[in-house]
Amino acid sequence: MPPMFGAASAQTIGTARTLDITVQSAGQTLTVRAGDILRFSVSNSAGTGYTWHALDVDPEYLVLIDKTTAAPPTPKPGQAPVVGGPGPTVVYVYYVRKSLNLGSYSVTSPIIFANVPPGRSTGQDTRLVQFNLTSR
């Protein structure tokens, strides 16, 4: 996988898999099947005010089962936090509830993450990273 894409790894448990995806500067196509768990990690930059948000997904295919925020790494004693350095990480966990393979054809379902500037929702100056889910 090219390094500009988010890092994705899979762990198989029975027939279901857990895919760990790091959201970076570009999205990718993810091949999934019903029962898979998708764990998207998005890191915010400390002190910038920018935050990542997952936009609406198609509930026919995906269910958000967990969203957690992990604290940023603690600076070493005597070291000040760096503006723009690592901030808190938000992890979105989705369950693939239905196959995207519908008999003789397949559908593609997007998941879009928005990096939103301080004081805004979405819109101008918002960076989007899109992942497309396809059937396995």
Side-chain angles (χ1 to χ4, degrees):
M1 171 184 329
M4 67 181 225
F5 292 141
S9 63
Q11 174 184 5
T12 304
I13 301 173
T15 58
R17 301 172 308 154
T18 298
L19 290 111
D20 291 308
I21 303 106
T22 302
V23 177
Q24 294 176 351
S25 61
Q28 66 190 73
T29 298
L30 301 172
T31 305
V32 298
R33 61 181 171 223
D36 284 351
I37 302 292
L38 308 176
R39 188 179 299 127
F40 292 92
S41 298
V42 290
S43 294
N44 293 305
S45 296
T48 64
Y50 278 76
T51 56
W52 283 98
H53 298 280
L55 302 181
D56 293 333
V57 298
D58 188 341
E60 184 173 350
Y61 300 103
L62 293 173
V63 176
L64 179 67
I65 57 174
D66 193 26
K67 177 185 172 189
T68 57
T69 302
T74 306
K76 294 178 183 174
Q79 184 181 30
V82 177
V83 173
T89 299
V90 180
V91 179
Y92 292 87
V93 181
Y94 291 95
Y95 173 74
V96 180
R97 73 178 338 175
K98 180 179 174 182
S99 174
L100 286 95
N101 185 357
L102 304 174
S104 61
Y105 67 95
S106 295
V107 296
T108 299
S109 183
I111 297 179
I112 301 172
F113 293 91
N115 194 7
V116 182
R120 299 209 177 130
S121 52
T122 57
Q124 187 177 357
D125 297 328
T126 300
R127 182 170 55 120
L128 302 176
V129 177
Q130 179 172 330
F131 290 84
N132 294 309
L133 305 181
T134 61
S135 66
R136 180 157 194 239

